[in-house]
Amino acid sequence: MTDDQAPPPKAAPSGGGPVTMATIGRLAGVSQVTVSRALSDPSKVSPATLAKIREAIAVTGFVPNALAGALASRRSRLITALVPSITNIVYAAMIKAFSERIRAHGYQILLSETGLDPADEEMLIETHLSRRPDAMLLTGIHHTPRARRMLLGAGIPVVEVWDITDSPIDLCVGFSHAEAGRAAADYAISAGYVRAGTVSADDERAARRKAAFVARFAPAAEAAIEAVDFDGPASLERGRRGLAELLDARGFAGGVIFCSSDLLAHGVLIEARARGLAVPADIAVIGFGDQDFAAHVEPALTTVRVDRPAFGQAAAEAILARFDGTGPQAPVTDLGFRIVARRSA
Amino acid sequence: MTDDQAPPPKAAPSGGGPVTMATIGRLAGVSQVTVSRALSDPSKVSPATLAKIREAIAVTGFVPNALAGALASRRSRLITALVPSITNIVYAAMIKAFSERIRAHGYQILLSETGLDPADEEMLIETHLSRRPDAMLLTGIHHTPRARRMLLGAGIPVVEVWDITDSPIDLCVGFSHAEAGRAAADYAISAGYVRAGTVSADDERAARRKAAFVARFAPAAEAAIEAVDFDGPASLERGRRGLAELLDARGFAGGVIFCSSDLLAHGVLIEARARGLAVPADIAVIGFGDQDFAAHVEPALTTVRVDRPAFGQAAAEAILARFDGTGPQAPVTDLGFRIVARRSA
DNA sequence: TTGTACGCGTTATCAA
DNA sequence: TTGATAACGCGTACAA
């Protein structure tokens, strides 16, 4: 046995510990560094040794330890993202586009849900930062002071998405929710409606859209604008209940209803139909989001279109540009929105 | 200046490099280990030094480096998860429950989309494994041989979710898709339907449900069972087109339609209504998933209920049990499903 | 209660 | 083209 020839200092002799670059090196008759090079830049290694290394890797099923790599190189190739909810299609679609774009460049995404509480977000930002991401995506522009400090201190690109502000932490990609609300009101007014109501889920940005809608519509309103606000997330059921509440408890006598999401709007449509009310003659409905079903419900939904994947893509581009040092790039990108007029209002 | 007293070996003297435990230690007049202890188990440090350490942390905004911690402790406190699609509510809801449960125990989730290709999944499994997760969640039971080897070699708990098999890689939480299809057929038969059609999205598991439905319904069928299969994901629009296709191109003369998801079923409902067809008299519809809107569409949708959050929770429990060494726990958990009879069929 | 010494598995820097 | 050697920032003995 040649066992005694093995250098005493390192590694287990047989199948003991985990397979490392050193293991591969021993199998291929080279040093650990050469294995590292073979993996990071094969052209710096001779074809012969490269072949031996590759075989050793195949035989052992070796998977490099990215933790150690990140520690040594000070680059984790990790980007973390925080969204209020993954089950909300709005954020899911955005993150999907973001991930695809970012992953094509060799980065992975660590995703967490923040819920509604800024304090929870602060805690999550800290744990995310502990993974030493190369960049971070945040939803919204409201963060605790400590969160801002930590983010600034991390010295990495940070994109705030889905809303807009003049003073972003770093980068910002979004649109003005207030303007969206006003645009919906303008549309409703010019369509001749003189009475309005709102149905909203629990969402700070939705609240701003609603407030802007109400403020803008008020001068044209012949009756008080009634608002139904739900505590939890949007659902078809809440949309139905929203209309029911407006009609049965608030004395809503018909007019246009501005909903905080297409899902709620769809619920309103269904309830109207179930009650034999004509849309848009008796009840007109404006949704928000232009989700893929919006054009295919009956009647097709008038809504505010926001290009969700575009937000994810723009956020990814902004981060990648930072990495490349490519151009100074404007810190804030306003992607806007568009009123899509269909038959429901 | 006492600058010369500083030990020459380590760290930058001022605001140079990143803040580490050593930095905090210097500020608090203790060693790096003490800082580590103060963070991991405060009771092992005297109140006085603890206070000094905490202050130093607050002042500097120090966030521990989890990468280094993981490398040293051989525990990453990371769990990675692979799902076919994040924008699909079925998987999103499952992951949400999984995350919440798992995060309560101090773990974070690294999530990726695999799409439909097993080869893509294999690549993703490798990159995920490179982060040295403490456990891994996979969707489905079909993986490439190399993927299985890597997973086995990693020596960590692995849960396969959303399907069931007798030979899981490690743990398995799901239900039988074939049985679900048969149960839907049995329901349709006993409800007296003698003609059937199917509308499906592109999903291997949906295909198995459909095949089982067809096989079971066939003996009772008075006409060929027509199938419309779409290439991409389910949508309301595809549901509408599915019924249109059945009616206009396949000579479907009415009967029950088994859809691969509630979303498609809802589309069928809308199209039927738009054509003035009565549901369930002319067209009966069975969905799949019992999503939250299913009970609130008109008419309410008969569907196959699968408790999505329960899958995530059970998967989390299975992994946590492995961590605790708690009980041997059955490797496979069948969570089943339930036919929910409503008005659409 | 606190500190020293070492190792975790990789990349970066030199030198050969 | 290849190899030593030293970080990277933290946990885990073990000792004081």
Side-chain angles (χ1 to χ4, degrees):
Chain A
M1 308 301 168
T2 56
D3 230 289
D4 288 330
Q5 292 180 24
K10 40 180 71 172
S14 62
V19 179
T20 69
M21 288 190 175
T23 318
I24 302 299
R26 219 171 305 128
L27 257 41
V30 294
S31 77
Q32 173 263 321
V33 225
T34 305
V35 178
S36 173
R37 271 193 286 255
L39 257 28
S40 59
D41 185 359
S43 74
K44 304 180 88 176
V45 170
S46 83
T49 59
L50 190 56
K52 282 192 284 187
I53 289 173
R54 290 223 165 114
E55 201 204 314
I57 290 178
V59 169
T60 56
F62 167 66
V63 177
N65 186 329
L67 262 33
L71 186 59
S73 67
R74 296 159 154 288
R75 297 186 57 205
S76 62
R77 297 211 151 268
L78 228 198
I79 294 183
T80 74
L82 256 25
V83 293
S85 161
I86 355 176
T87 50
N88 185 327
I89 184 67
V90 166
Y91 304 118
M94 185 180 77
I95 287 298
K96 184 195 185 78
F98 179 73
S99 306
E100 280 171 0
R101 196 80 193 73
I102 231 58
R103 210 176 304 158
H105 287 251
Y107 292 86
Q108 279 181 281
I109 311 288
L110 182 68
L111 182 66
S112 291
E113 280 188 316
T114 55
L116 305 158
D117 189 358
D120 287 345
E121 194 204 39
E122 179 185 302
M123 285 186 50
L124 279 168
I125 287 177
E126 182 168 4
T127 44
H128 274 221
L129 248 22
S130 77
R131 302 276 171 191
R132 294 299 184 267
D134 290 339
M136 195 154 167
L137 177 145
L138 261 31
T139 308
I141 53 177
H142 299 310
H143 315 286
T144 69
R146 193 168 91 87
R148 293 183 76 95
R149 272 203 309 280
M150 291 192 295
L151 257 3
L152 255 8
I156 55 173
V158 173
V159 212
E160 294 168 274
V161 194
W162 199 241
D163 205 334
I164 220 149
T165 173
D166 290 331
S167 52
I169 296 178
D170 183 20
L171 271 8
C172 178
V173 174
F175 67 98
S176 165
H177 291 259
E179 277 183 32
R182 282 191 286 272
D186 288 341
Y187 175 86
I189 292 169
S190 67
Y193 297 103
V194 291
R195 280 172 305 196
T198 65
V199 175
S200 312
D202 187 12
D203 176 324
E204 183 266 324
R205 284 169 284 273
R208 270 187 283 141
R209 293 193 296 269
K210 182 188 80 173
F213 174 89
V214 169
R216 186 73 142 233
F217 193 89
E222 293 182 357
I225 301 173
E226 293 292 336
V228 173
D229 297 309
F230 289 102
D231 265 347
S235 71
L236 213 56
E237 187 199 358
R238 287 192 162 126
R240 295 190 67 161
R241 285 196 354 233
L243 178 57
E245 166 95 13
L246 243 24
L247 259 18
D248 302 341
R250 306 294 183 89
F252 185 68
V256 62
I257 299 178
F258 181 51
C259 301
S260 73
S261 73
D262 286 349
L263 196 55
L264 287 175
H266 190 182
V268 170
L269 246 32
I270 290 177
E271 182 67 19
R273 197 144 188 173
R275 288 172 178 243
L277 296 171
V279 177
D282 299 327
I283 299 286
V285 186
I286 301 178
F288 181 84
D290 193 25
Q291 293 178 24
D292 51 10
F293 63 79
H296 306 286
V297 297
E298 288 288 335
L301 198 59
T302 291
T303 187
V304 181
R305 164 192 273 271
V306 179
D307 188 348
R308 304 183 300 275
F311 286 83
Q313 278 173 29
E317 301 303 348
I319 288 177
L320 292 170
R322 268 288 153 80
F323 288 163
D324 293 355
T326 315
Q329 152 143 22
V332 9
T333 310
D334 186 344
L335 255 31
F337 57 85
R338 199 160 63 76
I339 302 288
V340 179
R342 296 203 182 96
R343 293 181 19 242
S344 73
Chain B
M1 307 303 167
T2 55
D3 230 289
D4 289 329
Q5 292 180 24
K10 41 180 69 174
S14 62
V19 180
T20 69
M21 287 189 176
T23 317
I24 302 300
R26 220 171 305 128
L27 257 40
V30 295
S31 76
Q32 171 262 321
V33 230
T34 305
V35 178
S36 172
R37 270 191 287 253
L39 257 28
S40 60
D41 185 359
S43 74
K44 305 181 86 176
V45 170
S46 83
T49 59
L50 190 56
K52 282 191 284 188
I53 289 173
R54 291 220 164 116
E55 202 205 313
I57 291 178
V59 168
T60 55
F62 169 65
V63 177
N65 187 328
L67 261 32
L71 187 58
S73 67
R74 296 160 154 288
R75 296 186 58 203
S76 62
R77 295 211 151 269
L78 228 198
I79 294 183
T80 73
L82 255 26
V83 294
S85 160
I86 358 174
T87 50
N88 186 327
I89 184 67
V90 166
Y91 304 118
M94 185 181 78
I95 288 298
K96 185 194 183 78
F98 180 73
S99 305
E100 279 171 1
R101 196 80 193 73
I102 231 60
R103 209 175 306 157
H105 287 251
Y107 291 87
Q108 279 180 281
I109 311 288
L110 182 69
L111 181 66
S112 292
E113 281 187 316
T114 55
L116 303 159
D117 189 357
D120 288 344
E121 193 203 41
E122 180 186 301
M123 285 187 50
L124 279 167
I125 288 177
E126 182 168 5
T127 44
H128 275 221
L129 247 22
S130 77
R131 302 277 171 191
R132 294 299 184 267
D134 291 339
M136 195 154 168
L137 176 145
L138 261 32
T139 308
I141 52 177
H142 298 310
H143 316 286
T144 70
R146 193 168 91 87
R148 294 185 74 97
R149 272 203 310 278
M150 290 192 295
L151 257 3
L152 256 7
I156 55 173
V158 174
V159 213
E160 294 167 273
V161 194
W162 198 242
D163 204 334
I164 220 149
T165 173
D166 289 332
S167 52
I169 296 178
D170 183 22
L171 271 7
C172 178
V173 174
F175 68 97
S176 165
H177 291 259
E179 276 183 31
R182 283 192 286 272
D186 288 342
Y187 175 86
I189 292 169
S190 68
Y193 297 104
V194 291
R195 280 172 306 196
T198 65
V199 176
S200 312
D202 187 12
D203 176 326
E204 182 267 324
R205 285 170 284 272
R208 271 188 281 140
R209 294 193 296 268
K210 182 188 81 173
F213 174 90
V214 169
R216 186 73 144 233
F217 193 90
E222 291 183 357
I225 302 173
E226 293 293 335
V228 173
D229 298 309
F230 290 103
D231 264 347
S235 71
L236 212 56
E237 188 200 357
R238 287 192 162 125
R240 294 190 67 162
R241 287 198 350 235
L243 177 56
E245 165 94 14
L246 242 24
L247 259 19
D248 302 339
R250 307 293 182 89
F252 186 68
V256 62
I257 299 178
F258 181 52
C259 301
S260 73
S261 73
D262 285 350
L263 196 55
L264 287 176
H266 189 180
V268 170
L269 246 32
I270 289 177
E271 183 66 19
R273 198 143 186 173
R275 288 173 178 242
L277 296 171
V279 177
D282 299 328
I283 299 286
V285 186
I286 301 178
F288 180 84
D290 194 25
Q291 293 178 23
D292 50 11
F293 63 78
H296 306 285
V297 296
E298 287 287 336
L301 198 59
T302 292
T303 188
V304 181
R305 163 192 273 271
V306 179
D307 189 348
R308 304 183 300 275
F311 285 83
Q313 278 171 30
E317 302 302 349
I319 287 177
L320 292 169
R322 268 289 154 80
F323 288 163
D324 294 354
T326 316
Q329 152 144 19
V332 9
T333 310
D334 186 344
L335 255 32
F337 57 84
R338 200 160 62 75
I339 302 286
V340 179
R342 297 204 181 95
R343 294 181 17 243
S344 74

